Amino acid sequence: MIHDKTPLPDLKDWRFSIDVENIAWAIFDREGESVNSLGRRPLEELDAIVAKTEELARDGAVKGLVLMSGKDNFIAGADIREFEEFDTEEKVKEVLSPPLELLDRIEKLRVPVVAAIHGYCLGGGLELVLACDWRIADREEGTRLGFPEVKLGIFPGLNGTIRSIRQAGPLNAMTAMLTAKFYRPTAARAIGLVDQLVPTHHGLRWAARKAVLKKRHSKGAGWLQRMMQMSPIRGYLAGQMRKKTKAKVREDHYPAPFRLIDLFEQYGGDLKEMKSEETEAFAPLMVSDTSRNLRRVFKLSEMLKAEAPKQEKGMDAFRPLRVHVIGAGTMGADIAAWCVVSGMQASLQDLSEEQLEKGLARGQKLFKKRLRSKRDQDAAKARLVADPHGKHLPRADVVIEAIVEKLDVKQSLFKDIEEKLKPGAVLATNTSSLKLEDIAEGLKDPGRLIGLHFFNPVPQLPLVEVVRGEQSREDEVRKACLFVTAINKMPLIVRSVPGFLVNRVLAPYMMESVAQFESGQPREKIDQAAEKFGMPMGPLELMDMVGLDICDHVGKTLGLAPEGENTLSRLVKEGKLGKKTGEGFYVWKDGKPLREEAEYEPEELDRLAAELIKPLLDEAERARDDHVVESGDLVDAGVIFGTGFAPFRGGPLHYRETQNAQDSAVAA
Ligand code: NAI
């Protein structure tokens, strides 16, 4: 029974109880939400719970407090929906003040506070548990701990910077914050973010009870780790971190990790001082355009996931397990290997044995990179088979064609395989530029064909366009989306128009880069300009990666190629197709383009980038007006996730709006 000097308010997001052993249990289960996140109300309620525990502890009526989750995840982070109210640095500091105090009070409670973690414990959730005396996590597959903040253009702002350093030492803690890596329970335990592990969530309550009764209190990082906070080691470490971070991101595009390193370098020797400086350094990041735009990107990804058709219970549930990919070239091999990484079985068909061998070898490279244990890698290897004669085709749940981009060849292939498919199997083409309706022409059941348009490189780009042809049946589109979700990609349903969404928007930008090259701009300068704008790679390098034959075809299909020859078609004629043949705009060696060293004035690069990007922005507006996808937000989502378009700029339409607003502000 809870006695009532300070009655608890009516709790909506937490359940609070005290058991017969006088242990207080606070179970976080946010009302009306499938995932726990820290928003204003849950924090206010936790504040009341902590106040109540304080009062009871003073009277000797509780021995400790355990924080747990009533859902499958622990706490996925702060509730970023509430970030929108942060319009000034003062407002950020004002809003942060109560939770900062709350975490201090948790830390100072006279009885032990134990966090029992099952599922995702990220961002603000991890900051909260770091204020507890003892952290226990289960070893289950879905349990992960980490600080994803830098991906949102900020760093931990609830004193997670200092508490993680105190627990894990500066090297481990800074690495966790700078890389945004999600740690498995064993790894989190190894670096000190967690104090104790139990095999499954069933063991959490018992372990937490014991930790309270034994008054467990974490000792934090060992002396060797603590030494690293001292000067001059700290300065050296900061220098190394800066170098590593610079190799990954540009400071002008992504300032958050650099501000975090500055904070550590300046104040990391005295965690008390670092604590008060954390908010000072955090607030300007939170109100920056970069963070706003990265939050927008996060929301767009959530929107794509939320809008994807869901599995329906009952008879027509579609659970794809076997995939058959025809064409083991640049795309097909990677698509098959990616499906295997996602747990499926894949068979890979090609006319050329050499291509099949290369395809399997690429798969193994990917398994090594993506799968941790040798056992998982071997199992994956066994799930990917070469199938030159298509023996596995009749058993496949999903069949994806990724052969040469020639209509007659694709038509005859589809005619040939239609009869062999099992009922209910998804039939898809990965075509970039051919009309779905034309490919489906010879089919007995053209309603079956849909497009599954993957992007190159498949393992890195999270989007797949699901193309709804004029004839495609809605149920096939739904099943295709389920398949895309099952391989951990984001499906974007697009209309069957030339170039669909992503290539339609990307092609004018690529053609502009060819035109700039022809007008005498060096290829290195063109690519540098685009990278300075924030593209993951320059357009000429990208075209070489994709294959110049494919790009030429897309340009022609979209009516963007000039009359007669241009550099692109000339290179294709000469058999210089880019990376796959060893030469295109660049000569390629060991998988990398050979570049000439050159430096250009930043202003010149900015001017050139603006010229390169303009056709992309124009086309994004036209695609929105033509309803290629259902909304402007989906245009931005598609272009960001399908091309890597500078995420910190929030998407092409958003960027243009921002530019227009800035221009009119200047004019006024
Ligand atoms: P690729 O030229 O690298 O590979 C095509 C493969 O298909 C070759 O291994 C070839 O031997 C094989 N092949 C040709 N005819 C065949 C047949 N009748 N049966 C079995 N195998 C056959 O081509 P890539 O780049 O992989 O493109 C494949 C498809 O994916 C094309 O439709 C292309 O438009 C599309 N695509 C390509 C992207 C890229 O970045 N390369 C991106 C997205 C889509």
Side-chain angles (χ1 to χ4, degrees):
M1 208 191 62
I2 303 169
H3 67 169
D4 269 340
K5 274 192 217 154
T6 0
L8 271 177
D10 180 20
L11 298 178
K12 300 239 182 310
D13 297 322
W14 292 84
R15 296 192 292 275
F16 185 68
S17 62
I18 296 167
D19 68 15
V20 287
E21 291 182 294
N22 289 346
I23 298 173
W25 297 83
I27 312 293
F28 190 20
D29 196 354
R30 239 187 125 161
E31 189 184 55
E33 308 263 337
S34 58
V35 168
N36 277 335
S37 62
L38 285 179
R40 179 173 290 122
R41 193 175 72 187
L43 281 166
E44 282 169 3
E45 291 186 5
L46 180 60
D47 196 288
I49 288 171
V50 170
K52 186 87 223 164
T53 309
E54 250 160 7
E55 177 194 306
L56 294 169
R58 247 193 329 266
D59 298 349
V62 295
K63 292 190 181 123
L65 171 67
V66 180
L67 303 182
M68 283 185 85
S69 164
K71 299 195 196 288
D72 273 347
N73 76 316
F74 184 75
I75 301 175
D79 188 342
I80 78 159
R81 291 167 297 191
E82 292 180 11
F83 285 11
E84 294 322 307
E85 62 189 81
F86 294 139
D87 45 5
T88 62
E89 291 180 32
E90 283 61 43
K91 180 82 186 173
V92 175
K93 290 179 194 168
E94 188 191 308
V95 175
L96 280 185
S97 170
L100 282 169
E101 276 173 34
L102 169 63
L103 265 55
D104 281 348
R105 278 179 29 235
I106 291 177
E107 199 167 65
K108 288 185 195 129
L109 258 181
R110 62 183 69 212
V111 289
V113 185
V114 174
I117 304 159
H118 165 69
Y120 275 36
C121 174
L122 305 174
L126 183 50
E127 293 188 272
L128 169 63
V129 304
L130 284 169
C132 300
D133 294 281
W134 192 253
R135 287 152 289 278
I136 308 167
D138 65 34
R139 289 178 197 260
E140 289 192 23
E141 189 46 40
T143 298
R144 293 282 188 285
L145 294 95
F147 288 117
E149 283 87 344
V150 289
K151 288 193 186 157
L152 297 178
I154 51 178
F155 55 69
L158 292 178
N159 291 158
T161 63
I162 62 124
R163 290 199 176 101
S164 62
I165 289 177
R166 194 183 58 198
Q167 283 309 125
L171 193 57
N172 292 327
M174 290 293 287
T175 304
M177 291 185 278
L178 290 171
T179 58
K181 197 174 140 185
F182 287 6
Y183 290 81
R184 286 168 189 272
T186 34
R189 168 83 187 83
I191 64 168
L193 288 177
V194 165
D195 300 293
Q196 184 186 345
L197 297 176
V198 292
T200 68
H201 69 279
H202 300 294
L204 280 174
R205 268 186 172 262
W206 184 255
R209 168 192 167 271
K210 224 166 147 189
V212 167
L213 296 177
K214 297 219 166 205
K215 298 197 170 83
R216 297 248 195 255
H217 181 82
S218 180
K219 288 195 189 71
W223 66 270
L224 192 63
Q225 279 286 340
R226 285 204 305 271
M227 282 281 290
M228 294 186 199
Q229 277 171 246
M230 300 302 133
S231 222
I233 309 178
R234 193 173 73 250
Y236 170 77
L237 277 184
Q240 291 296 102
M241 290 169 192
R242 216 169 264 126
K243 212 162 118 191
K244 270 198 184 161
T245 311
K246 263 194 187 139
K248 278 200 254 160
V249 291
R250 296 170 62 117
E251 188 169 347
D252 52 344
H253 295 165
Y254 297 98
F258 295 92
R259 297 296 78 79
L260 175 60
I261 297 169
D262 294 346
L263 177 72
F264 168 66
E265 186 172 28
Q266 265 180 290
Y267 304 105
D270 177 354
L271 291 186
K272 259 197 204 136
E273 205 180 353
M274 184 166 167
K275 190 174 174 191
S276 54
E277 293 298 329
E278 184 195 88
T279 312
E280 290 302 317
F282 175 86
L285 291 173
M286 184 56 123
V287 297
S288 66
D289 283 344
T290 299
S291 176
R292 261 198 208 111
N293 289 339
L294 290 175
R295 267 141 44 198
R296 172 176 162 74
V297 173
F298 176 75
K299 282 189 201 148
L300 291 176
S301 73
E302 294 291 293
M303 183 179 82
L304 275 186
K305 284 181 214 153
E307 287 197 354
K310 298 280 173 299
Q311 192 71 262
E312 278 166 27
K313 283 192 190 120
M315 297 291 286
D316 61 349
F318 180 69
R319 292 198 174 75
L321 296 172
R322 294 193 184 94
V323 184
H324 184 75
V325 182
I326 311 175
T330 313
M331 296 303 290
D334 277 0
I335 295 170
W338 182 258
C339 293
V340 167
V341 167
S342 314
M344 296 182 189
Q345 286 185 15
S347 39
L348 192 54
Q349 181 180 346
D350 202 291
L351 297 176
S352 145
E353 231 166 82
E354 192 192 335
Q355 285 290 85
L356 279 175
E357 267 170 36
K358 273 197 208 160
L360 293 188
R362 272 171 83 101
Q364 285 181 35
K365 236 174 156 179
L366 183 73
F367 305 152
K368 272 206 180 122
K369 220 164 150 187
R370 295 279 174 159
L371 302 171
R372 281 190 325 148
S373 69
K374 173 90 174 49
R375 211 181 70 194
D376 288 350
Q377 290 167 12
D378 288 346
K381 204 169 142 187
R383 288 202 305 273
L384 177 64
V385 294
D387 182 14
H389 308 294
K391 276 199 204 129
H392 293 255
L393 179 102
R395 294 166 62 219
D397 303 305
V398 178
V399 175
I400 304 170
E401 167 277 312
I403 65 168
V404 280
E405 190 72 336
K406 291 201 175 119
L407 181 61
D408 54 336
V409 186
K410 289 203 198 266
Q411 277 176 336
S412 86
L413 176 84
F414 276 108
K415 235 184 247 167
D416 183 42
I417 61 174
E418 186 180 20
E419 297 285 303
K420 300 177 188 155
L421 298 176
K422 92 170 176 193
V426 166
L427 181 61
T429 171
N430 185 43
T431 182
S432 318
S433 56
L434 298 171
K435 277 183 82 173
L436 226 64
E437 296 73 21
D438 292 344
I439 300 177
E441 226 168 49
L443 289 178
K444 289 207 179 97
D445 177 12
R448 191 168 195 183
L449 186 73
I450 48 102
L452 276 177
H453 188 230
F454 287 80
F455 297 94
N456 186 1
V458 176
Q460 273 146 47
L461 288 163
L463 189 84
V464 178
E465 286 177 320
V466 176
V467 189
R468 179 193 277 142
E470 269 164 32
Q471 83 296 343
S472 305
R473 266 195 304 276
E474 226 21 64
D475 196 42
E476 303 300 326
V477 173
R478 179 185 70 88
K479 287 192 294 189
C481 288
L482 290 172
F483 164 69
V484 173
T485 315
I487 56 167
N488 303 309
K489 301 263 180 206
M490 294 184 256
L492 174 67
I493 299 174
V494 295
R495 273 204 308 130
S496 170
V497 294
F500 313 127
L501 173 73
V502 174
N503 280 347
R504 173 175 170 166
V505 171
L506 199 61
Y509 154 76
M510 288 180 164
M511 292 305 146
E512 177 64 27
S513 71
V514 177
Q516 292 280 356
F517 179 69
E518 287 174 341
S519 75
Q521 295 283 15
R523 54 190 182 182
E524 285 82 3
K525 186 173 171 191
I526 294 171
D527 281 353
Q528 267 187 38
E531 282 168 22
K532 181 163 188 295
F533 176 82
M535 302 303 266
M537 68 173 74
L540 297 177
E541 183 182 347
L542 177 65
M543 282 200 272
D544 268 4
M545 286 265 299
V546 169
L548 299 191
D549 50 341
I550 304 265
C551 298
D552 189 40
H553 204 285
V554 173
K556 284 183 175 138
T557 319
L558 293 174
L560 299 171
E563 292 277 318
E565 247 190 14
N566 69 348
T567 312
L568 190 56
S569 53
R570 189 175 47 73
L571 285 168
V572 173
K573 229 187 198 168
E574 291 168 8
K576 295 176 179 167
L577 306 183
K579 189 179 175 184
K580 61 185 166 189
T581 58
E583 188 175 347
F585 284 100
Y586 293 93
V587 171
W588 288 72
K589 206 164 169 235
D590 302 329
K592 295 230 160 62
L594 299 179
R595 294 178 215 272
E596 273 164 35
E597 290 283 323
E599 272 202 31
Y600 303 96
E601 289 298 320
E603 297 75 26
E604 251 182 81
L605 292 177
D606 288 343
R607 255 197 316 276
L608 179 53
E611 286 171 23
L612 289 168
I613 297 294
K614 182 177 179 302
L616 184 157
L617 304 181
D618 293 342
E619 198 58 43
E621 287 181 336
R622 283 194 282 271
R624 175 198 55 203
D625 299 342
D626 286 354
H627 305 287
V628 177
V629 288
E630 272 172 13
S631 68
D633 276 349
L634 286 177
V635 171
D636 275 352
V639 178
I640 293 169
F641 299 121
T643 72
F645 179 93
F648 69 96
R649 298 198 190 269
L653 295 177
H654 181 78
Y655 174 67
R656 171 138 293 166
E657 271 167 34
T658 323
Q659 292 295 98
N660 290 346
Q662 276 169 8
D663 290 349
S664 20
V666 171

